[in-house]
Amino acid sequence: MEYVRNGYPKLVIDLNALKTNISQVTKRCEEKGIEVAGVIKGCNGLIPCAEQFYRAGCRWIASSRLEQLAPLKDAGIQSDLMLVRIPMLSEAEDVVRICEYSLNSEVAVLKELNKFAGMHDKTHNVIIMADCGDLREGFWDKEEMADVAFMVENELHNLHLAGVGVNVGCYGSVQPTPEKLQELVDIAETIEDRIGRELEIISGGATSSFMRVVDGNIPPRINMLRIGEGVLLAYDLPALYGYDLPYLSSNTFRLRAEVVEVKDKPSHPVGEIGFDAFGHRIEYVDRGIRRRAVLGIGKVDYGDPSELIPTIDGIEVLGASSDHTLLDIQDLIDAGGDMSVGDIVEFQVNYATMVYLTSSDNVTKVYI
């Protein structure tokens, strides 16, 4: 018997708020001579979301996953497509076939991209990545990076050396200070001296680098940022770094889940304590008998329950198993509130939660 999911849990996505966020950020970047690559990996490449980046004028639509980029041209999105995870050797042909741009840090992959670009009668644009301390992708040896850039320019005739880029903050938590981004500019100028021309792109990182735009201290030659979370959720810069960005909405994505049980229960498990369903030992606090609610959603849908943010006071997320989420609602009850089976509880989400929710087939996506 076919089952068509129409109910809960739901992820409610405000497309107008999303487009407004993108427009506000791109406008402020353009004032500094910076173009935006709109990164859709955080929302799992959902086409209605990707369309908002295109409609807001992003020159590039970017993702770390080819399967998220492949459907976009058929959906009418004409922005250039960019792979922002350095390509696997095994996917080089698909990178050339699907994307106009890719970020790169390995000679073997560049040669493979060049081979397939020739086979498909294309010129593929590459951005060579520098590692300036975050220790994810990129050349650590900058002389080697300059040598590779020179090789791309003069030997790999089916590739176009579009520019250089850097990632900061995503692994090593390195901050995009003006000095750190200037390192990338210095690398770019060294390469320009070697190849005898100016690079079109100096890509200075992701959402965290938008801080430099807001503060007005981004190095002048940085002319591209790769921004996803900063417009999808607009959460990190205000919540983590204290930036006041009143022109951005953090209500673009909201999770709604249905209550499946409400009962008074002990707050500490009763019996010999071992491991939970995920093999973890949990420390429980005995707070006596408390009113608890169970939701019909679990870790397989959103990841870490501690990152769910209830939108009303008096609700505490206690934890979760694969398919159930447990709430303490005693404070809500004590304040005169109520909760019953069938009620809907709403949560604000963060980046990690959004990635899980948009990837889950168990969560209905609703666009408003």
Side-chain angles (χ1 to χ4, degrees), residues 2-156:
E2 183 181 5
Y3 172 63
V4 179
R5 174 175 293 277
N6 293 313
Y8 294 91
K10 288 181 180 177
L11 185 65
V12 181
I13 305 169
D14 188 333
L15 295 178
N16 286 330
L18 174 56
K19 184 181 176 186
T20 298
N21 281 358
I22 300 165
S23 297
Q24 290 288 342
V25 168
T26 55
K27 180 181 74 172
R28 285 162 173 78
C29 287
E30 286 168 359
E31 291 169 353
K32 302 294 183 183
I34 297 169
E35 293 184 284
V36 171
V39 181
I40 61 172
K41 64 190 177 93
C43 61
N44 197 37
L46 294 172
I47 288 177
C49 296
E51 287 174 340
Q52 307 316 306
F53 287 92
Y54 174 55
R55 291 171 182 169
C58 287
R59 176 179 167 185
W60 302 273
I61 304 293
S63 180
S64 57
R65 312 277 173 158
L66 288 174
E67 61 267 27
Q68 295 175 4
L69 295 170
L72 298 188
K73 290 292 171 66
D74 288 341
I77 294 172
Q78 297 305 310
S79 301
D80 284 341
L81 303 182
M82 177 184 295
L83 183 67
V84 292
R85 179 175 66 187
I86 52 175
M88 292 181 271
L89 194 64
S90 59
E91 66 184 359
E93 183 171 13
D94 284 335
V95 173
V96 167
R97 187 175 56 84
I98 294 168
C99 301
E100 284 78 29
Y101 288 77
S102 63
L103 312 186
N104 286 271
S105 64
E106 283 290 346
V107 171
V109 176
L110 287 163
K111 290 180 176 179
E112 199 77 351
L113 292 172
N114 182 66
K115 178 182 79 174
F116 285 114
M119 288 174 57
H120 288 272
D121 195 25
K122 289 186 173 183
T123 298
H124 182 72
N125 301 284
V126 296
I127 296 172
I128 308 299
M129 297 297 284
D131 189 336
C132 292
D134 203 63
L135 304 182
R136 201 177 73 176
E137 79 277 41
F139 285 91
W140 183 252
D141 185 326
K142 305 313 182 290
E143 289 186 10
E144 179 190 8
M145 181 176 173
D147 290 341
V148 170
F150 185 83
M151 179 196 70
V152 172
E153 179 77 2
N154 293 283
E155 299 177 24
L156 303 184

Side-chain angles (χ1 to χ4, degrees), residues 166-359:
V166 72
N167 173 74
V168 285
C170 287
Y171 169 73
S173 307
V174 170
Q175 295 303 291
T177 61
E179 295 77 17
K180 183 59 63 177
L181 296 183
Q182 184 60 43
E183 289 181 29
L184 178 66
V185 174
D186 294 343
I187 293 166
E189 292 177 347
T190 297
I191 290 172
E192 289 172 336
D193 288 342
R194 286 284 302 276
I195 66 175
R197 68 172 177 87
E198 188 173 291
L199 296 167
E200 296 102 84
I201 294 171
I202 303 179
S203 183
T207 290
S208 60
S209 295
F210 185 61
M211 290 189 286
R212 303 283 71 81
V213 175
V214 176
D215 290 343
N217 58 2
I218 193 163
R221 288 211 61 198
I222 300 292
N223 61 7
M224 180 223 268
L225 295 180
R226 311 178 304 275
I227 296 180
E229 190 283 335
V231 292
L232 289 167
L233 291 177
Y235 175 82
D236 284 2
L237 295 189
L240 303 181
Y241 296 99
Y243 277 79
D244 182 19
L245 305 174
Y247 47 86
L248 297 182
S249 170
S250 60
N251 294 323
T252 45
F253 290 76
R254 290 296 178 105
L255 170 63
R256 294 175 182 169
E258 185 172 338
V259 177
V260 297
E261 177 185 292
V262 178
K263 296 186 185 302
D264 292 340
K265 293 187 179 183
S267 51
H268 194 284
V270 179
E272 185 176 341
I273 304 299
F275 298 90
D276 71 3
F278 287 79
H280 301 143
R281 282 192 179 273
I282 308 297
E283 294 293 330
Y284 303 95
V285 177
D286 190 347
R287 301 164 65 189
I289 301 295
R290 306 275 293 182
R291 183 70 59 86
R292 297 157 70 95
V294 181
L295 303 178
I297 189 171
K299 288 183 179 180
V300 296
D301 300 305
Y302 57 70
D304 186 350
S306 70
E307 295 182 329
L308 294 176
I309 308 165
T311 59
I312 62 173
D313 294 333
I315 296 176
E316 178 186 352
V317 180
L318 294 172
S321 60
S322 300
D323 305 295
H324 299 82
T325 300
L326 281 69
L327 308 179
D328 184 309
I329 60 169
Q330 188 64 53
D331 291 345
L332 174 70
I333 301 303
D334 291 345
D338 193 15
M339 187 173 290
S340 303
V341 170
D343 285 351
I344 306 303
V345 182
E346 185 174 82
F347 300 89
Q348 186 180 357
V349 301
N350 65 11
Y351 186 82
T353 308
M354 175 180 62
V355 170
Y356 277 99
L357 289 168
T358 53
S359 301

